[in-house]
Amino acid sequence: MKLLRYGQPGSEKPGLVDDRGTVRDLSGAISDLDGSALSDKAIERLRQIDPATLPAVTPDRVGPCVGRVGKFICVGLNYIDHARETGKEPPAEPILFMKATSAIVGPNDDIEIPRSSNKADWEVELGVVIGKRAKYVETSDALSHVAGYCVVNDVSERAFQSERGGQWTKGKSHDTFGPLGPWLVTRDEVTNPQALELWLDVDGVRQQTGATSNMIFDVAFLVSYISQFMTLEPGDVIATGTPPGVGMGIKPAPVFLKPGQTIALGISGLGCQKSRTVEARN
């Protein structure tokens, strides 16, 4: 299933996309698409509903595909070519950092360029949405704890990230730096999360092209690994790293975002995002 949330910020309703691409209202079945609705049993109940019996809607806005995210966990340098374009060696173990949940916005919402920013950058990533509590899980069982997958743009401010005390979270957490969606695609529709194509354009120019098959650490390993350090709860989101082609890696000189640009990105089977960059609001 393709599940989503639609409506104005703070008032989103749950929905699904039927086989014809029509959005159907799920608010009569669940209150929101959050951790409480992401267990295997809960998703199976939704699957038993005939979409034709649900009201068809025309959303004025698509919101982030997961509500009330508890943890937004990111994996750094998880593609060899991306690690090398940043001047770093591929890591021996996953690099983990947190992105503030206040950064989460819808897939087509504006992306703010922060005040004093001069190195805002883009990163298309596969998002993994947890559906079942995971603590000390084995790699062989890790994917059973996944509810589904989504597109993530791990927007970054490189100067804040690397030149302001070495705290990656500083450069990753500005408001609007975490577009999620458009859909949460349930696990059964993604038979192999390591066989997905990723892409990202800035102002119509292709900047990133990649494949999840090139991850250094695959999804199952990441879920298991992270669960050794913290308990993953339903509704938590893991951004699994970006392929090469980010602005900081462009030669001979890096290229960064400025207000008034368009960023489009997508992952095969998971949908596309399209955002405009704007000056930061108060």
Side-chain angles (χ1 to χ4, degrees):
M1 286 186 297
K2 294 180 176 67
L3 303 171
L4 79 166
R5 300 168 71 246
Y6 68 94
Q8 293 307 302
S11 301
E12 291 94 346
K13 295 181 179 180
L16 62 80
V17 182
D18 68 19
D19 291 341
R20 296 185 177 183
T22 300
V23 176
R24 301 282 181 169
D25 179 27
L26 272 176
S27 57
I30 55 175
S31 60
D32 199 358
L33 189 61
D34 57 14
S36 66
L38 296 177
S39 69
D40 286 351
K41 287 184 178 180
I43 289 175
E44 181 57 31
R45 284 195 295 269
L46 296 180
R47 190 176 287 111
Q48 297 305 313
I49 299 172
D50 180 359
T53 66
L54 299 172
V57 294
T58 303
D60 54 357
R61 171 183 176 268
V62 176
C65 60
V66 185
R68 290 188 278 274
V69 174
K71 292 190 287 295
F72 197 169
I73 306 156
C74 300
V75 182
L77 306 179
N78 196 28
Y79 289 73
I80 291 175
D81 289 347
H82 172 58
R84 289 176 176 161
E85 74 176 346
T86 66
K88 298 180 175 63
E89 288 300 312
E93 291 190 44
I95 296 171
L96 305 181
F97 61 93
M98 307 295 282
K99 196 176 184 87
T101 56
S102 55
I104 294 173
V105 289
N108 305 313
D109 289 346
D110 290 343
I111 291 173
E112 294 185 359
I113 305 300
R115 295 178 181 177
S116 75
S117 166
N118 57 19
K119 294 185 179 180
D121 206 347
W122 56 83
E123 295 189 18
V124 59
E125 306 200 6
L126 172 65
V128 177
V129 181
I130 299 299
K132 181 172 69 173
R133 186 175 185 269
K135 183 176 183 179
Y136 296 124
V137 300
E138 299 294 330
T139 302
S140 59
D141 186 47
L143 294 186
S144 72
H145 294 261
V146 173
Y149 303 90
C150 66
V151 180
V152 175
N153 187 357
D154 178 20
V155 187
S156 310
E157 213 300 337
R158 303 301 186 186
F160 296 179
Q161 176 183 348
S162 301
E163 301 169 21
R164 301 289 297 275
Q167 295 289 332
W168 282 23
T169 301
K170 291 178 185 177
K172 300 286 189 170
S173 294
H174 185 80
D175 293 352
T176 75
F177 270 23
L180 298 183
W183 315 311
L184 188 164
V185 179
T186 52
R187 184 180 76 238
D188 59 296
E189 292 199 8
V190 183
T191 55
N192 182 2
Q194 305 311 139
L196 303 175
E197 304 293 324
L198 307 86
W199 60 272
L200 182 145
D201 296 346
V202 179
D203 290 337
V205 177
R206 182 61 45 93
Q207 299 292 351
Q208 288 187 276
T209 302
T212 56
S213 58
N214 293 327
M215 286 183 182
I216 299 171
F217 307 105
D218 66 20
V219 171
F221 181 87
L222 290 173
V223 172
S224 173
Y225 181 88
I226 295 168
S227 79
Q228 312 303 308
F229 300 95
M230 64 191 83
T231 300
L232 295 169
E233 299 287 355
D236 288 349
V237 176
I238 303 168
T240 57
T242 198
V246 299
M248 70 179 296
I250 293 176
K251 303 294 190 293
V255 175
F256 297 110
L257 295 166
K258 57 185 182 295
Q261 295 187 282
T262 299
I263 308 171
L265 58 148
I267 300 177
S268 53
L270 303 185
C272 303
Q273 301 182 1
K274 190 172 185 179
S275 300
R276 291 282 293 174
T277 55
V278 299
E279 293 183 0
R281 306 180 182 93
N282 291 331

